Amino acid sequence: MASCAILLLIAGGTGLVVNALRPASSRLPWANDWSRHIEAKAFQAGIPVTFLMGVRESLLDEDIVVLDARPYEKFMEGHLPGAWSLPIGEVGERIGDYVHLLAAETPLLLYCDGADCSDSLELAIELRGYGFSDVTLYPGGYEEWQAYGGDIVSGGMP
Amino acid sequence: MTRPVRPFYIWVARLAVGGLFLAACLSKIHDPQAFALVVYRYRLLPDILINIMAILLPWMECVTALAVLFATARWRAAGSFLIGGMLLVFTLAISLNLIRGIEISCGCFSTRADVAVSDGWNLFRNVALIWLSTVVFLDAFRRMQAQAEERPS
């Protein structure tokens, strides 16, 4: 037992020293406010999230509609394959088209820029308010998809 | 008195357990912020403990792996005991998330986003590693006892 405690002390001490010596950009603070994290907000709102591998599978599923919550200019520069544009600021004007085109139970996958943007979460909450029941959030968003090297499509909607 | 020759499988078990834990700690030490996100996604710890876990756990893996690979019987026994304990906790955490339907990658060997989601294979691998760490622990424990008996009273 004493040996176990010594190993744990060595490990803990090394971890703390190495973390303290890291450059500020990569140093981990003792605690983060994780409640402000986009995934925590989605969890609190009862909106399921999916991650990169889940998105890869979703893009192969023709039943799932992918919605890009970023401004239309960003969508035109590049978006996930098959995605439709529905900027959070234009939901009021354009939701009529989507309600007309999509059944309420259509599975929707939403994304925006990345982990620091909340547009897709706000859109998810709004869409649920309009009766869409199967809404999933991709918190990694366009930035993670691009960093992963996933296919990017530029130009208008399919 | 000559010591018994250590069977080949003990070396294999030490190499497998120590080597895998050493490999597992590298990406976590390299990118603690990404690992903190992995820990967060398990949704098992209170927020206040997530970063502390992300700072300490990789080094626990590193130190115990080095003990299993290179240290004397006493430290090997301690290292393999702690690795067995960590594996039990990891297995429990992955099982809970599978039951709760939370689809995340286990973050075992990589903090990258493009790692496959955890499944039964992760549990099988962990059970195999628990068995191997037990083998290493029992061997080291027996050697500790043998060394204690050899010492003049």
Side-chain angles (χ1 to χ4, degrees):
Chain A
M1 286 304 286
S3 307
C4 288
I6 291 169
L7 285 184
L8 288 176
L9 281 174
I10 293 170
T14 311
L16 294 177
V17 169
V18 169
N19 190 55
L21 294 176
R22 284 181 194 276
S25 58
S26 64
R27 190 182 306 141
L28 204 57
W30 281 95
N32 275 1
D33 185 1
W34 288 97
S35 64
R36 294 175 62 188
H37 195 271
I38 188 77
E39 290 173 38
K41 290 178 182 172
F43 184 57
Q44 283 159 9
I47 292 170
V49 296
T50 190
F51 304 105
L52 189 57
M53 301 311 280
V55 172
R56 261 181 31 158
E57 288 174 18
S58 296
L59 291 179
L60 299 173
D61 187 338
E62 290 182 355
D63 292 336
I64 298 175
V65 173
V66 182
L67 293 178
D68 186 324
R70 299 174 304 153
Y72 190 64
E73 300 74 42
K74 283 191 171 183
F75 175 86
M76 289 296 281
E77 286 169 18
H79 55 263
L80 271 63
W84 298 9
S85 173
L86 184 54
I88 181 66
E90 299 173 19
V91 176
E93 306 156 30
R94 298 179 58 186
I95 191 65
D97 302 337
Y98 287 87
V99 171
H100 188 66
L101 283 169
L102 302 172
E105 62 274 9
T106 304
L108 302 175
L109 176 66
L110 278 54
Y111 71 91
C112 52
D113 279 325
D116 294 328
C117 95
S118 60
D119 288 359
S120 52
L121 176 62
E122 290 170 28
L123 180 60
I125 293 167
E126 283 213 39
L127 287 176
R128 280 207 319 195
Y130 282 106
F132 290 99
S133 54
D134 191 355
V135 182
T136 303
L137 191 72
Y138 170 36
Y142 184 77
E143 287 168 4
E144 185 183 79
W145 182 256
Q146 197 176 31
Y148 162 65
D151 290 341
I152 300 287
V153 178
S154 55
M157 283 193 267
Chain B
M1 186 176 162
T2 55
R3 287 187 187 162
V5 176
R6 180 175 293 137
F8 180 69
Y9 71 86
I10 299 291
W11 289 104
V12 173
R14 278 177 66 184
L15 202 60
V17 172
L20 281 174
F21 262 67
L22 206 52
C25 73
L26 294 179
S27 66
K28 299 168 191 167
I29 289 172
H30 175 70
D31 191 350
Q33 292 176 344
F35 183 54
L37 187 58
V38 170
V39 175
Y40 166 75
R41 283 178 174 164
Y42 272 87
R43 295 190 210 152
L44 290 170
L45 287 177
D47 288 2
I48 190 84
L49 293 181
I50 289 170
N51 284 14
I52 294 169
M53 181 61 77
I55 292 169
L56 300 184
L57 184 63
W59 288 99
M60 283 170 61
E61 291 179 340
C62 180
V63 168
T64 52
L66 291 174
V68 164
L69 286 171
F70 303 115
T72 57
R74 176 190 172 194
W75 299 106
R76 224 163 44 236
S80 54
F81 181 79
L82 289 171
I83 283 178
M86 282 190 273
L87 283 165
L88 275 175
V89 173
F90 299 161
T91 307
L92 192 66
I94 293 170
S95 304
L96 277 172
N97 275 2
L98 287 176
I99 291 167
R100 295 191 298 171
I102 298 176
E103 293 186 348
I104 55 170
S105 64
C106 79
C108 308
F109 293 97
S110 174
T111 54
R112 287 166 53 109
D114 56 342
V115 179
V117 170
S118 295
D119 54 18
W121 158 247
N122 295 84
L123 298 179
F124 174 77
R125 184 191 62 201
N126 278 12
V127 170
L129 283 171
I130 289 170
W131 175 67
L132 288 175
S133 64
T134 306
V135 167
V136 174
F137 173 76
L138 290 175
D139 170 72
F141 190 71
R142 284 192 199 108
R143 280 176 182 270
M144 275 171 59
Q145 285 185 321
Q147 284 167 3
E149 285 168 10
E150 278 177 26
R151 274 191 216 116
S153 53

